[in-house]
Amino acid sequence: MKIITAKDFDTAVASNKNVIVQFSADWCGPCKMLSPVLEKFAESNDTYSVFKVDVSESQKLAKKYSVQSIPKVILFTNGVHTKDAVGFMNETKLSQFVGE
């Protein structure tokens, strides 16, 4: 899972068909629990690109996507925000979230 900034965000989301973005922070316990789940998903699934955005460093981007609680996961399809979820997800819930 690659960490991206607001500068890289549009390119990362637009250049991949299916993108999952985790909005998180270093101090967030549930974010730390979710990251390995997303990393495992990314390793086992070539259909999705997975990125992480630190809300402390990318506050304008977090505001643009109405990130009020973290972790927030947003699914983009062909560059379009299709759905999002807040909170920890295990592997089963993540698969349901992306529709697999």
Side-chain angles (χ1 to χ4, degrees), residues 49-67:
S49 297
V50 182
F51 300 101
K52 183 190 282 190
V53 173
D54 186 319
V55 295
S56 300
E57 295 177 12
S58 301
Q59 293 177 1
K60 288 183 181 178
L61 191 57
K63 185 175 181 178
K64 178 180 178 182
Y65 288 99
S66 302
V67 177

Side-chain angles (χ1 to χ4, degrees), residues 19-88:
V19 177
I20 297 171
V21 178
Q22 175 192 5
F23 285 85
S24 66
D26 290 338
W27 49 264
C28 170
C31 298
K32 291 179 183 179
M33 293 169 44
L34 179 58
S35 290
V37 174
L38 288 170
E39 287 172 8
K40 184 176 179 183
F41 180 82
E43 290 172 7
S44 65
N45 194 319
D46 294 337
T47 312
Y48 293 87
S49 297
V50 182
F51 300 101
K52 183 190 282 190
V53 173
D54 186 319
V55 295
S56 300
E57 295 177 12
S58 301
Q59 293 177 1
K60 288 183 181 178
L61 191 57
K63 185 175 181 178
K64 178 180 178 182
Y65 288 99
S66 302
V67 177
Q68 297 178 352
S69 297
I70 53 175
K72 183 170 184 173
V73 177
I74 300 179
L75 176 65
F76 293 87
T77 305
N78 296 320
V80 178
H81 175 179
T82 53
K83 63 175 145 176
D84 54 64
V86 175
F88 173 76

